């Protein structure tokens, strides 16, 4: 815990917070804190690294840029938005955290998140587990066949991939096709019973986006574009993000 | 009918909304002999206050305080009351409005209904009511003192109309009632329809909709209330058990920007949460724990800080500076879990409670908004009527005024002040009517009871749970029936309800009762009501005694019912003893002098003087210094941006030019005598100290307060350290200097909320915000730090507090026991403070340090004036009003009023409201032709007087003198009835009427009767 006295002297300099304020649409109300502590009271990361959202915001307001941009606490935030949900001033602390993450040199960001982002860039699946498009197609078709046989009441069930003109473009967390393929099925059943016209894409099917959590805007944009492009090419009307 | 002619004219005021504010406005106008139409959309008047249990800061029973006003408004000859009535539209302009009104059918003839309740008993589902928060069977009379005292029928819920009509013994039910529509003409309108309360159902994280143990403050109030769903038993709605731990969460729906919250502060919630917690602690002592979660405790009103201290130190209410995130209930548990964090600690705390009270604030509801639209009023973004300038009760439409929570969030005392101020404004457009010469033509002649054996009737009120909940009224009656001279003892429920009053009257007449004892509440609030009652029954009104078995027995001995019963019996026996010796007395009355003395030539005094002079009264405005303007003359702008210098110079000009006002500058009040309506005040004037006397009927004190300047935080030791008052002058006069500043620090509560001066100065938080905003406007690169204990930007001031934060001003909370440290150089101040969120010290090298030093009572003037006028003051030297809640600008000495900062610290616009309120209150006296002095005066028995001069010396009012016959004489017209002479007279030659020796001795005899036997 830093206990040094903070010295305020001379002309105000532009701070990190001022910069973020310009980026966030509407500014994020970053100056409006009433210090009520509602955010800290509901944050799963409160108390970690001797930090909480209120303190983090206060440090930004006081221009303690060096400390703010170096605390590993920003990687403990889950981006759950519980803070902004109850904040009387609707202060966008999650955005502030995000922008601090982006300040970190890429190679110093947490390895797990970084590797998952990098993995998604390896092929057009976007999968943080590196699953290739062919593998995904194979798993889906295989599981579908198995269920149609075992459960005759679902013999007409479909799990289309790259179906042109489908209404919904559905994406899918890679964990299921990779480790729990049976977990894919309940959603298919619902869609089937509801008579929904949907499709997966062979490209951009993976729903997780670790590049977002890594605050790597460029890579985030890349994976998002891959998915969006596939949906566009198929002529789907609605992108259904399941993540 | 004599009123026919009146109804043709527009010489009246329409008051919309019969809550406490509307009632006050109507009564002020009516007492000033002006006609009023008072309408309310509900079945009965009384508004929100009728749903409360106790009211702060006195923690008195609410209805007991309100009820006399309700019945007064119903029987006043200048007031026509229209319940179930709404405004449909308006045309015309100030001085000549036509308002169309629609009255819903009540299906009950008010003239015939006796309020017996037969219809409710037989057809409970057809009798309409305002359920409020009642979970129990519907009752249509929300409280026993309902006005009008009548039921209302919901015909749509009735299957057997014929049966319903038949069930009414008075034949009052009329199923063919169509309601009515009609236009009324009026000269001005006062809008006081009140505000709604925020509905927290939309805040899913609080679980209000799902969890019955999460209640709003009003619901909690109903649970505590004797007339509420649980008859005042505090129980958890979920399981009926008594809660052990109750938490309050403040600012629900206030001070927020999302999920429907209002951006302003609702102003009253901190106080009502304190009250609810204190009442809870009072009832359950060690058995219950109360915790208030708050952002800032805003106890800014007069003596409210003391109330906060009492809650904390005497009652043990716990305060946590934190806003819990959510209210959770884990499956299988009946506990409510709150998570919160505290200052200086980044770890999460969780705690379980049995009940959580949400302190929900005020909002303008759709109905009030629609009403405002119908009247064409301009509204603010929060839907309150927009106010064009410094006069809070004005609206965008001349001739339409506002008061109470419809104008802005506020508590009851401030509502009362605004209500009187609105009466003052609205009354300007109306001519007073000749006071009726035969005042009460319907009264029967007084029975001559002199020489009759005393026949005492004793009537006991159970006052709902207040008395009946502690002692057994029936066994009290049995004990009293045996007393000498007592011919009847009866229990009368709520004795002050119309039905009980009527029963008492009948009993008196039928049994020939010639003395009456009321065993009930306080004579202070209810004596005149029962005096009127026995007068109506043909008895002289002084043949009455009160035994206060509520305040003095059940309220204070609630846990010892047996002893309480004995004490109640003793008190009533004493009252019986005294009443047997009482004699009929005649009231004295005297003509009124219609001149006004206003003391103090600041903005408050000048405004009062102008209001009264505009309405035709002669005003003497006495100012101690050589110039008019007071402290306001040193101010430049209000928080809202009004130009004060301009305003003050205009006011001075108008005051000096007004032919009805005589301005006396350099005037020092030196002596005073007389009675309300005929005062004589002496003063020394000018450099030569000429003595002159003024005769006047009322006195208004507007002597102001003094800017404080305590020697704290190095004030006076550096050019860089000054008060906020000096800073605002710099901002206006030396902007170039302000532009050079890099860092500015402000410290709040300097010399306020301390051991020496315990109260809050009220104006400093908004002043700091105002000056901080001015600094960053001139110099956007400047950093401003405001070090505060609680930010008290109440009401709409909150929006400026928000704006200041938006502009980058940093607000940091400090603890009283760890104040900022200041080191100074000639042109610098180094301020070191502890930031409780960072848990670190911060050292600011400031170019300027502004200290919020607030106001203190002006001891020089107020101490002397209090002595000359014999007025009480608060511990901190402000004049003490008669009743903090209901008579906030009336002083305890009749005919005296106080306004502005002589009452307590306040802003200019708040002072101006009080200035107008006192003008209105003064007119209630000035409009009369004569003043009733009562009958309580000292009387000398010349045969016993030894002319020893003891009375002459003892009298604080210099009334007794030795007359030509050689004995002491006391002029009943001048006597204040204080009794000093009577108690001092060695020869027992002086008796104080209504409190004569034999009455007092008889009381004592009754009390000690047993001992003697």
């Amino acid at each position: 815990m830093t206990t040094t006295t903070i010295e305020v002297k001379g002309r105000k300099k532009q701070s990190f917070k001022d910069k973020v304020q310009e980026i966030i649409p509407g500014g994020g109300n970053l100056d409006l804190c009433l210090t009520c502590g509602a955010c800290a009271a509901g944050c799963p990361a409160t108390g970690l690294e001797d930090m909480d959202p209120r303190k983090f915001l206060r440090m930004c307001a006081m221009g303690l840029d060096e400390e703010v941009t170096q605390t590993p606490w920003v990687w403990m935030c889950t981006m759950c938005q519980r803070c902004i949900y109850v904040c009387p001033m609707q202060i966008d602390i999650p955005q502030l955290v995000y922008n601090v993450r982006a300040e970190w040199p890429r190679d110093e960001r947490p390895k797990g998140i970084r590797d998952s982002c990098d993995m998604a860039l390896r092929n057009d699946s976007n999968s943080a587990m590196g699953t290739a498009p062919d593998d995904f197609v194979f798993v889906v078709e295989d599981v579908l066949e198995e269920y149609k046989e075992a459960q005759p009441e679902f013999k007409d069930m479909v799990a289309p991939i790259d179906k042109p003109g489908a209404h919904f473009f559905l994406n899918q967390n890679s964990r299921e096709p990779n480790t729990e393929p049976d977990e894919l099925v309940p959603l298919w059943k619902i869609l089937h019973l509801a008579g929904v016209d949907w499709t997966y894409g062979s490209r951009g099917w993976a729903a997780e986006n670790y590049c977002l959590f890594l605050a790597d805007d460029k890579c985030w944009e890349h994976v998002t574009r891959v998915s969006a492009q596939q949906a566009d090419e198929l002529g789907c009307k609605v992108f259904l993000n399941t993540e | 009918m004599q009123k026919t002619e009146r109804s043709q004219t527009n010489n009246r005021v329409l008051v919309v909304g019969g809550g406490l504010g509307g009632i006050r406005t109507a009564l002020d106008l009516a007492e000033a002999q002006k006609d009023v139409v008072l309408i309310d959309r509900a079945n009965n008047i009384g508004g929100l206050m009728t749903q409360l249990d106790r009211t702060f800061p006195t923690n008195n029973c609410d209805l007991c305080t309100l009820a006399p006003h309700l019945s007064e408004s119903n029987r006043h000859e200048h007031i026509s009351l229209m319940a179930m009535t709404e405004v449909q539209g308006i045309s015309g302009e100030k001085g000549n409005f036509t308002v169309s009104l629609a009255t819903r059918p009540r299906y009950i003839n008010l003239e015939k209904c006796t309020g017996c309740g037969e219809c409710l008993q037989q057809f409970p589902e057809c009798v309409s009511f305002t359920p409020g928060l009642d979970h129990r069977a519907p009752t249509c009379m929300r409280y026993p003192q309902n006005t009008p005292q009548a039921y209302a029928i919901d015909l749509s819920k009735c299957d057997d109309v014929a049966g319903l009509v038949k069930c009414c013994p008075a034949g009052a039910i009329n199923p063919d009632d169509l309601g009515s529509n009609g236009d009324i003409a009026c000269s001005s309108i006062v809008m006081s329809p009140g505000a709604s309360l925020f509905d927290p159902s939309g805040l899913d994280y609080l679980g209000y909709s799902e969890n019955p143990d999460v209640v709003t403050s009003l619901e909690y109030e109903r649970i505590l209330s004797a007339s509420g769903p649980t008859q005042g038993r505090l129980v958890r709605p979920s399981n009926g058990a008594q809660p052990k731990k109750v938490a309050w969460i403040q600012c629900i729906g206030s001070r927020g920007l999302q999920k429907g919250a209002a951006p302003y502060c609702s102003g009253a919630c901190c106080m009502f949460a304190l009250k609810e917690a204190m009442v809870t602690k009072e009832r359950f002592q060690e058995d219950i724990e109360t915790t208030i979660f708050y952002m800032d405790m805003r106890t800014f009103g007069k003596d409210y800080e003391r109330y906060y201290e009492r809650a904390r130190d005497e009652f043990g209410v716990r305060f946590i500076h934190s806003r819990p995130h959510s209210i959770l209930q884990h499956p299988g548990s009946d506990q409510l879990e709150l998570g919160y964090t505290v200052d200086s600690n980044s770890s999460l705390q969780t705690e379980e409670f049995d009940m959580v009270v949400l302190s929900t604030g005020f909002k303008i509801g759709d109905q009030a908004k629609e009403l405002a639209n119908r009247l064409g009023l301009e509204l603010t973004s929060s839907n309150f009527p927009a106010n064009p300038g410094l006069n809070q009760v004005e609206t965008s439409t001349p001739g339409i005024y506002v008061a109470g929570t419809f104008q802005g969030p506020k508590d009851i005392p401030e509502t009362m002040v605004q209500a009187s101020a609105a009466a003052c404004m609205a009354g300007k457009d109306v001519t007073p009517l000749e006071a009726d010469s035969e005042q009460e033509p319907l009264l029967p002649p007084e029975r001559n009871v002199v020489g009759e054996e005393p026949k005492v009737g004793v009537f006991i009120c159970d006052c709902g749970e207040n008395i009946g909940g502690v002692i057994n009224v029936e066994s009290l009656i049995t004990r009293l029936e045996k007393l000498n001279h007592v011919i009847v003892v009866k229990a009368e429920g709520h004795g002050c309800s119309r039905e009980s009053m009527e029963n008492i009257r009948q009993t008196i007449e039928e049994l020939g009762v010639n003395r009456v004892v009321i065993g009930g509440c306080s004579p202070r609030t209810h004596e005149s009501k029962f005096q009127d009652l026995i007068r109506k029954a043909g008895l002289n009104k002084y043949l009455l005694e009160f035994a206060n078995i509520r305040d003095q027995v059940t309220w204070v001995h609630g846990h010892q019912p047996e002893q309480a019963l004995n004490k109640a019996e003793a008190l009533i026996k004493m009252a019986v003893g005294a009443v047997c010796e009482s004699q009929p007395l005649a009231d004295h009355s005297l003509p009124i002098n219609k001149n006004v003395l206003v003391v103090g030539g600041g903005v408050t005094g000048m405004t009062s003087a102008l209001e009264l002079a505009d309405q035709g009264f002669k005003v003497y405005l006495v100012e101690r210094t050589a110039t008019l303007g007071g402290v306001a003359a040193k101010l430049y702008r209000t928080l809202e941006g009004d130009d004060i210098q301009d305003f003050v110079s205009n006011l001075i000009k108008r005051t000096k030019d007004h032919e009805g006002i005589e301005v006396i500058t350099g005037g020092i009040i030196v002596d005073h005598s007389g009675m309300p309506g005929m005062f004589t005040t002496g003063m020394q004037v000018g450099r030569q100290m000429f003595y002159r006397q003024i005769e006047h009927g009322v006195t208004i004190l507007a002597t102001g307060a003094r800017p404080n300047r305590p020697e704290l935080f190095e004030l006076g030791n550096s050019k860089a350290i000054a008060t906020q008052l000096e800073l605002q002058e710099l901002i206006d006069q030396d902007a170039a200097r302000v532009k050079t500043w890099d860092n500015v620090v402000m410290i709040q509560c300097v010399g306020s909320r301390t051991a020496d001066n315990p109260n809050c100065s009220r104006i400093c938080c908004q002043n700091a915000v105002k000056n901080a905003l001015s600094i960053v406007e001139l110099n956007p690169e400047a950093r401003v730090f405001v070090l505060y204990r609680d930010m008290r930007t109440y009401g709409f001031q909150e929006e400026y507090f928000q704006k200041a934060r938006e502009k980058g001003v940093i607000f940091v909370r400090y603890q009283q026991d760890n104040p900022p440290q200041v080191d100074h150089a000639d042109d610098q101040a180094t301020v070191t403070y502890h930031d409780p969120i960072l848990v670190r010290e911060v050292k600011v090298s400031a170019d300027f340090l502004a200290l919020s030093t607030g106001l203190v009572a002006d001891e020089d003037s107020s101490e002397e004036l209090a002595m000359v006028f014999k007025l009480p003051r608060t511990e901190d030297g402000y004049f003490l009003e008669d009743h903090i809640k209901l008579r906030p600008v009336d002083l305890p000495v009749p005919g005296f009023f106080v306004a502005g900062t002589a009452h307590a610290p306040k802003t200019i616009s708040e002072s101006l409201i009080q200035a107008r309120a006192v003008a209105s209150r003064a007119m209630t006296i000035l409009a009369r032709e004569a003043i009733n002095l009562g009958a309580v005066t000292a009387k000398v028995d010349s045969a016993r007087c030894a002319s020893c001069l003891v009375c002459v010396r003892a009298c604080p009012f210099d009334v007794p003198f030795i007359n030509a016959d050689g004995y002491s004489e006391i002029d009943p017209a001048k006597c204040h009835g204080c009794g000093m002479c009577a108690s001092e007279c060695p020869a027992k030659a002086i008796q104080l009427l209504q409190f004569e020796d034999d009455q007092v001795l008889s009381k004592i005899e009754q009390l000690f009767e047993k001992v003697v036997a």
Side-chain angles (χ1 to χ4, degrees), chain A residues 4-6 8 10-11 31-32 35-36 38 41-42 47 52 58-59 67 82 84-90, chain B residues 204 256-259 295 322-323 325 339 346 348 742-743 783 805 811-812 835 837-838 840-843 845:
Chain A
T4 49
T5 298
I6 298 162
V8 178
R11 207 93 187 130
D31 282 321
L32 294 189
T35 68
C36 70
D52 63 69
R58 187 63 157 199
M59 289 168 76
E67 293 171 44
R82 276 170 67 87
I84 186 171
Y85 190 72
V86 302
C87 173
M89 291 291 119
Q90 209 170 10
Chain B
D204 51 2
L257 296 179
Q258 62 167 333
K259 301 187 170 65
M295 301 211 286
S322 178
R323 199 176 161 109
H325 181 277
S346 270
L348 182 68
D742 292 331
N743 295 294
R783 265 181 296 209
R805 298 197 309 279
F811 291 83
V812 188
D835 186 314
I837 295 162
L838 300 172
R840 277 158 81 172
E841 304 301 303
V842 179
K843 188 171 164 187
S845 303

Side-chain angles (χ1 to χ4, degrees), chain B residues 443-455:
Chain B
L443 289 178
E446 267 183 31
R447 259 174 62 201
N448 181 8
V449 302
V450 180
E452 273 182 30
E453 192 63 15
K455 289 159 85 178

